[in-house]
Amino acid sequence: MGRVAYVNGRFVRHAEAAVHIEDRGYQLADAVYEVWAVFGGRLADAAGHFARLKRSLGELRIAAPMSDAALTIVLRETLRRNRIADGMIYLQVGRGVAARDHAFPNPPVSPSVVITARPVDLDASEARAAAGVGVVTVPESRWGRCDIKTVGLLPNVLAKQAAREAGAVEAWFVDDLGLVTEGASSNAWIVDAEGRLRTRDIQANILRGVTRLSVMGLIAESGLDLEERAFTVDEAKSAREAFVTGAGSLILPVVRIDGAKVGDGAPGPVAKRLRELYISQARRNAS
Ligand code: PDD
């Protein structure tokens, strides 16, 4: 059996999986999504992602397509049919299919649901973490509701492409005050010159990262100092360490910012340790 996707109630061959041309996710980006890291065929940080999904749907007044329990069954079945042990699973829920009109369809239509999964080569991921990655900074250009995980990702697409063209892996958005908001697909962190962990607070216009929250728990357990406080690009460049967190990157040390070395240009001990702790906890608690 080849790759399989879940589309609106059916498992279909990935190569033939399709949505209607008037799906509002496709035409208007009227859809939200979640990404879970997968360890041993199970969902990492499952509850945190379900909670955020519920919140994103609620903020946009899109009906939940099914209960969390039913969704868990479908997500797991997608993993099983794709024979994924370690990997990632993507869920998109949209407002549904209706003749194109910006306002919500009235009466409402059923939400659209698409799920895809893919394996991740953990050795390659470890090698990338061991080497560390570069980031570039780009001006913040996103809308004011980045706390909602919508598929409207054009600024993120352009930022990520700018990173790739510069030989970097992630882009950090920088607001009008010169403060880093977050990455194009991850939250941004530093270990500052005083040895404190710093990441932007969630009152700012950022996604409330599920990995970010788990890492905060690990930081507290490790007795390290944490401040949810914004940092400038210069502070990041002169930090002891920098790293990003996310379901895709897990915890990835950042060793270059706009071409300038962070610390001695190698992954730092705090990011390395948090990555180990996070992966072992996520693997243990995956459900
Ligand atoms: N991105 N910030 C942004 C803008 C993101 O897109 C993501 C995740 C994060 C990290 O959130 P979490 O820890 O909950 O994964 C922060 C996913 C992985 C993606 O778009 O593929």
Side-chain angles (χ1 to χ4, degrees):
M1 193 172 59
R3 225 181 144 193
V4 173
Y6 175 89
V7 184
N8 295 325
R10 294 191 308 136
F11 287 101
V12 290
R13 284 162 49 128
H14 186 273
E16 283 147 25
V19 295
H20 193 277
I21 55 167
E22 289 199 303
D23 186 286
R24 291 174 61 91
Y26 169 66
Q27 284 191 330
L28 301 161
D30 190 2
V32 303
Y33 75 105
E34 279 298 329
V35 178
W36 285 260
V38 174
F39 293 105
R42 297 283 176 208
L43 306 169
D45 284 330
H49 288 280
F50 281 120
R52 189 174 58 196
L53 172 67
K54 195 165 287 176
R55 182 172 180 279
S56 296
L57 290 170
E59 291 296 308
L60 299 183
R61 293 194 275 151
I62 297 175
M66 57 185 103
S67 67
D68 287 359
L71 198 49
T72 303
I73 291 170
V74 180
L75 289 164
R76 283 191 189 159
E77 182 61 12
T78 308
L79 293 170
R80 194 188 68 77
R81 289 188 188 224
N82 287 283
R83 298 184 303 277
I84 308 281
D86 299 327
M88 283 185 0
I89 190 157
Y90 174 86
L91 163 72
Q92 179 169 326
V93 181
R95 197 178 308 277
V97 175
R100 187 174 181 277
D101 177 3
H102 291 65
F104 300 172
N106 187 16
V109 292
S110 324
S112 305
V113 183
V114 168
I115 304 173
T116 55
R118 63 182 174 83
V120 165
D121 177 348
L122 282 188
D123 291 340
S125 160
E126 280 309 318
R128 172 178 270 200
V133 299
V135 303
V136 295
T137 59
V138 295
E140 181 62 87
S141 59
R142 300 175 300 162
W143 75 325
R145 292 304 309 273
C146 293
D147 57 308
I148 308 173
K149 197 163 173 62
T150 83
V151 301
L153 290 172
L154 211 36
N156 310 56
V157 166
L158 297 177
K160 205 71 145 184
Q161 182 61 21
R164 188 153 303 168
E165 286 172 12
V169 161
E170 181 59 301
W172 280 359
F173 291 111
V174 180
D175 69 15
D176 288 346
L177 299 172
L179 300 165
V180 174
T181 49
E182 64 179 326
S185 65
S186 59
N187 289 111
W189 296 72
I190 59 169
V191 181
D192 72 14
E194 282 75 46
R196 272 186 311 252
L197 280 130
R198 299 234 320 250
T199 193
R200 191 102 195 220
D201 61 278
I202 57 167
Q203 272 65 57
N205 185 33
I206 63 166
L207 187 74
R208 300 168 183 191
V210 174
T211 319
R212 172 186 180 280
L213 203 56
S214 285
V215 167
M216 284 182 168
L218 295 171
I219 290 168
E221 282 167 26
S222 307
L224 296 166
D225 283 339
L226 166 70
E227 262 189 85
E228 289 182 74
R229 181 157 69 86
F231 51 84
T232 63
V233 175
D234 281 343
E235 280 178 304
K237 283 182 182 165
S238 57
R240 289 189 194 169
E241 298 185 33
F243 61 96
V244 295
T245 58
S249 43
L250 305 176
I251 293 161
L252 207 45
V254 169
V255 295
R256 275 183 318 281
I257 299 172
D258 293 333
K261 270 188 200 172
V262 178
D264 60 4
V270 175
K272 275 201 230 171
R273 180 77 189 127
L274 287 174
R275 180 179 168 93
E276 285 166 13
L277 289 172
Y278 176 75
I279 292 175
S280 64
Q281 172 180 278
R283 198 179 270 291
R284 220 173 31 247
N285 297 346
S287 58

